[in-house]
Amino acid sequence: MKKSLKIKSCPQVSNLKMDIDVNAATLSQLINLQQQYGDIFKINSNKNTPSYFINDPTLIKALLVKNHSNYKKGPGFERIKMLLGNGLIVSDGETWRRARTMIQPTFARQNIHKLVQQMLVCSQNRALLWDKLITKNQLINITEEMSEFALELILKSIFGEDYDVLIDKGNENPFAFLSKDSTRDLSVVMKMRNLRNHILSIITNRRQLKREATNYDFLSMYLKAEDKSGNKFTDVELIDEIITLIVAGYETSAGTLNWAWYLLSTHKDEEEKLYQEAKPIFTDLNTLNIETINSMSYTQAILEETLRLYPPVWLFSRKTTNDDVLEGYEIPINSNLFISPYILHRSKQFWNNHDKFNPERFNQRSEAKKINSAYFPFSLGPRRCLGEYFSFLEMKIHLGYLINKYRIVHTQDNKPQLNLGINLRSSNDISLQLEPR
Ligand code: HEM
C-alpha cells in the first residue's frame, strides 16, 4: 500500500477566509502561500471541516476526474444556489446525474450549429449601435456591450421566438437587470425570484401549445427531455435549469470577451493577426459556415490565452463526501478543497512568460503538453462545462465579425483591476475608441 504523504499547514493564516467571493488581498495571500508551501497545503485548522488549497495538475485531475465520486460541490456554491435554485451547477448526486443526462443532448455540436445565425445577428446588433456611437465620436463601453451581447444571445438561444414576443410587447426586458447590475447580492436574488414568474409563463404557454418551436431553441429541448423512467422536468426543475443556463451562459462569455477586447487593444500585432484571419471569412457573409468558423485557429488561440490569463471561474471548491486518498494524500470526510484556475494558469512552473499575453503558445506543440495538464478554464471530468463549444463559437463569431468592421484606436490608460466575485470581472468598465475599417 502507498505510504500516505504529509500535507503542510500554514500556521500564520490558520483560518484564511475563503468563499467563492474573496477579495484581492486573499488572492495575493494565496499566491504567496502557494509559493511558500507548494501545491497542496492546509488553510484552516478546523478539525471537523479542514480546508486545503491545491495547485498541482495531477492532484486536480485526481479530484475532478479519477476520484470525483468522493466529492460534491463545496463552499460558495450555497450562495450560487440562492441565486439559481437547484440547477445543474449546484446540484449533486442523483439529482445532478439525472439532470445532466437529460440536458447533455441539447449541447451536441450539431444542435449548437443551429444557433450560429443567432450568434451573427447578435454581433450585428452590436455593430448597429457602435456605428451610431462612433459617428458621435463616443467611446464604446466594452464591458457593458459584452454583457448586452452575451445576454441577448443566451436569451434568444433559450427562448427563441418567445424572446421576441417578450420584447415586442414593448415591455421592459425583465432580464435586463442581469447585464446592467453587476452586484450579486440579496437584491439580485429578489429580482431573480420575480424572473421565475416570467419563465413560468413562457413554459406554461409552450406546454399548452403542444407544438415544437419553429426554430431550434434550448427550451424546446429541455421540455422534451426525459429521464430513464420516461419522466420530464417539473416546472420548478425547469425554471431552475433555465436560470442556471442564463447565468452560466452569459456572465462567463461576457467576461472573457471583455478581457479579450482589452488585451487586443493593448497588443496591436495580435489585433492585426486577428483581423487578417477574420477578413476572408467575414467579408462575404454568404460564405460564412461552420467549417470557416471552426478554421479560425488564431482567434481560438486568442480566446484560449484570454481564458488562461482571466479565467471567469477563477476559484472553485469541492467537499469530500467520504474519506479520500488523493494521490497519496489523506483527505478526511467533510474537507473543503479549493482550486484556482487563475493561480494555476499563471504559475511560472508551468508557463513561460507566465504573465505575458501570447496567443501563439496555444498553437505551439511544445506548450500543448502543458496545456493538457495545467489549464482548465472549463473545469474537468463529469462536471466539466456544458457550454464550452457554444461559447467558443459565439466568441469567435463576435470577434471575427466586429474586428473585420472596426479598428481599435485607443484604450484607456490605466490597467483594469480585478473584481474577484463569483466570476472574475474588471472592477471598472473598459472603454475603447473604435473606428470603421
Ligand atoms: C467562457 C465561457 C465559459 C467558461 C469559462 C465556463 C466555465 C465553467 C466551469 C469552470 C464550470 C464547472 C464549475 C465546477 O466544476 O464547479 C462550468 C459549468 C457549467 N457551465 Fe460553463 N463556462 C462558460 C460558458 C458556458 C456557457 C455559454 C454555458 C451555456 C450555454 C455554460 C453552461 C454550464 C453548465 C450548465 C455547467 C454545469 C455543468 C455540470 O455541473 O454538469 N457555460 N462552466
Side-chain angles (χ1 to χ4, degrees):
M1 198 176 139
K2 245 180 161 178
K3 198 170 140 256
S4 77
L5 301 166
K6 187 158 168 42
I7 301 179
K8 291 182 192 154
S9 300
C10 36
Q12 76 275 40
V13 276
S14 62
N15 277 319
L16 192 66
K17 190 192 161 303
M18 293 288 284
D19 198 334
I20 242 138
D21 201 350
V22 302
N23 58 25
T26 313
L27 174 65
S28 53
Q29 221 173 350
L30 269 179
I31 294 172
N32 290 338
L33 290 172
Q34 190 267 319
Q35 283 161 4
Q36 207 177 332
Y37 291 97
D39 287 334
I40 176 162
F41 54 89
K42 205 171 182 181
I43 50 175
N44 88 4
S45 51
N46 186 327
K47 258 203 155 136
N48 297 326
T49 50
S51 292
Y52 303 90
F53 181 75
I54 58 173
N55 194 55
D56 173 76
T58 314
L59 287 174
I60 294 172
K61 260 193 195 165
L63 166 68
L64 297 174
V65 188
K66 202 163 70 179
N67 296 15
H68 79 92
S69 56
N70 287 333
Y71 295 88
K72 60 178 185 175
K73 295 280 174 134
F77 283 100
E78 309 83 42
R79 296 226 347 246
I80 303 179
K81 206 171 198 165
M82 280 169 65
L83 206 62
L84 309 183
N86 200 25
L88 215 49
I89 285 190
V90 292
S91 60
D92 278 302
E94 199 36 54
T95 309
W96 167 78
R97 211 178 323 280
R98 169 179 176 263
R100 174 97 187 193
T101 316
M102 290 167 79
I103 287 172
Q104 188 109 9
T106 304
F107 289 88
R109 287 188 173 216
Q110 67 272 23
N111 285 333
I112 300 304
H113 293 166
K114 297 177 194 156
L115 296 168
V116 161
Q117 190 54 27
Q118 286 290 25
M119 295 175 182
L120 183 63
V121 168
C122 292
S123 307
Q124 288 171 320
N125 287 347
R126 282 359 291 162
L128 290 175
L129 189 85
W130 294 7
D131 283 343
K132 287 190 197 140
L133 294 173
I134 291 170
T135 318
K136 291 191 221 150
N137 243 339
Q138 288 183 9
L139 295 180
I140 315 285
N141 181 331
I142 284 291
T143 310
E144 220 173 83
E145 284 296 298
M146 293 311 102
S147 283
E148 298 276 337
F149 163 74
L151 185 60
E152 182 185 359
L153 176 61
I154 195 71
L155 291 176
K156 286 185 165 170
S157 305
I158 294 172
F159 298 116
E161 293 146 25
D162 288 325
Y163 173 84
D164 293 331
V165 174
L166 203 72
I167 305 302
D168 280 355
K169 274 186 187 158
N171 298 334
E172 174 156 352
N173 179 352
F175 300 91
F177 74 92
L178 287 168
S179 66
K180 302 255 182 294
D181 186 349
S182 67
T183 49
R184 289 290 171 264
D185 57 14
L186 266 182
S187 69
V188 173
V189 173
M190 296 317 290
K191 288 181 192 160
M192 280 297 218
R193 296 216 166 129
N194 293 337
L195 266 194
R196 299 181 74 88
N197 293 331
H198 280 285
I199 298 174
L200 179 62
S201 68
I202 298 175
I203 292 173
T204 310
N205 210 358
R206 286 272 185 112
R207 288 207 204 270
Q208 280 164 358
L209 281 177
K210 291 202 170 79
R211 63 162 173 79
E212 295 257 332
T214 322
N215 297 318
Y216 177 84
D217 61 42
F218 288 150
L219 179 58
S220 42
M221 290 294 284
Y222 279 33
L223 280 164
K224 270 195 297 199
E226 287 182 357
D227 63 18
K228 54 180 188 267
S229 314
N231 297 319
K232 298 191 172 195
F233 284 125
T234 63
D235 284 351
V236 172
E237 286 168 343
L238 253 182
I239 297 171
D240 283 354
E241 295 301 349
I242 295 295
I243 291 194
T244 296
L245 203 52
I246 296 171
V247 174
Y250 105 88
E251 286 210 339
T252 43
S253 305
T256 310
L257 284 171
N258 183 41
W259 290 112
W261 277 103
Y262 171 72
L263 288 165
L264 289 166
S265 76
T266 49
H267 295 81
K268 287 278 142 211
D269 290 351
E270 285 74 8
E271 183 198 350
E272 180 58 25
K273 282 190 208 159
L274 173 68
Y275 168 59
Q276 290 305 335
E277 183 170 85
K279 199 164 127 187
I281 297 176
F282 287 90
T283 300
D284 177 3
L285 292 177
N286 291 321
T287 61
L288 187 73
N289 61 51
I290 197 65
E291 282 76 33
T292 55
I293 299 162
N294 278 334
S295 74
M296 297 168 70
S297 57
Y298 189 72
T299 317
Q300 174 81 21
I302 284 189
L303 291 165
E304 284 173 345
E305 179 68 338
T306 305
L307 285 163
R308 182 182 73 82
L309 290 170
Y310 298 103
V313 185
W314 68 279
L315 176 76
F316 60 95
S317 67
R318 293 290 189 265
K319 195 180 216 23
T320 34
T321 50
N322 296 304
D323 289 341
D324 191 30
V325 181
L326 211 53
E327 302 294 298
Y329 293 103
E330 284 177 15
I331 312 285
I333 187 167
N334 279 331
S335 303
N336 298 320
L337 284 89
F338 291 89
I339 307 166
S340 171
Y342 181 90
I343 295 178
L344 187 73
H345 291 179
R346 288 179 184 245
S347 279
K348 286 187 198 139
Q349 212 181 327
F350 304 109
W351 303 94
N352 293 333
N353 294 322
H354 61 286
D355 277 338
K356 190 176 174 330
F357 177 62
N358 173 21
E360 303 286 356
R361 74 173 85 233
F362 280 89
N363 285 336
Q364 286 163 5
R365 280 193 120 224
S366 57
E367 291 276 349
K369 257 190 177 163
K370 292 175 190 169
I371 289 161
N372 278 334
S373 57
Y375 183 72
F376 53 94
F378 295 95
S379 189
L380 295 170
R383 308 254 4 198
R384 190 183 177 119
C385 177
L386 265 178
E388 183 172 342
Y389 186 64
F390 175 95
S391 68
F392 275 124
L393 273 188
E394 75 167 306
M395 295 191 292
K396 279 197 272 200
I397 292 172
H398 170 95
L399 279 186
Y401 176 76
L402 290 159
I403 210 70
N404 190 41
K405 280 183 74 72
Y406 306 104
R407 166 181 309 114
I408 306 171
V409 195
H410 186 65
T411 182
Q412 58 196 27
D413 298 325
N414 46 341
K415 194 173 173 205
Q417 297 301 304
L418 303 180
N419 173 348
L420 300 152
I422 293 170
N423 280 307
L424 178 66
R425 297 156 164 265
S426 57
S427 59
N428 294 104
D429 287 3
I430 295 170
S431 294
L432 299 181
Q433 191 183 348
L434 303 181
E435 67 179 23
R437 288 196 188 267

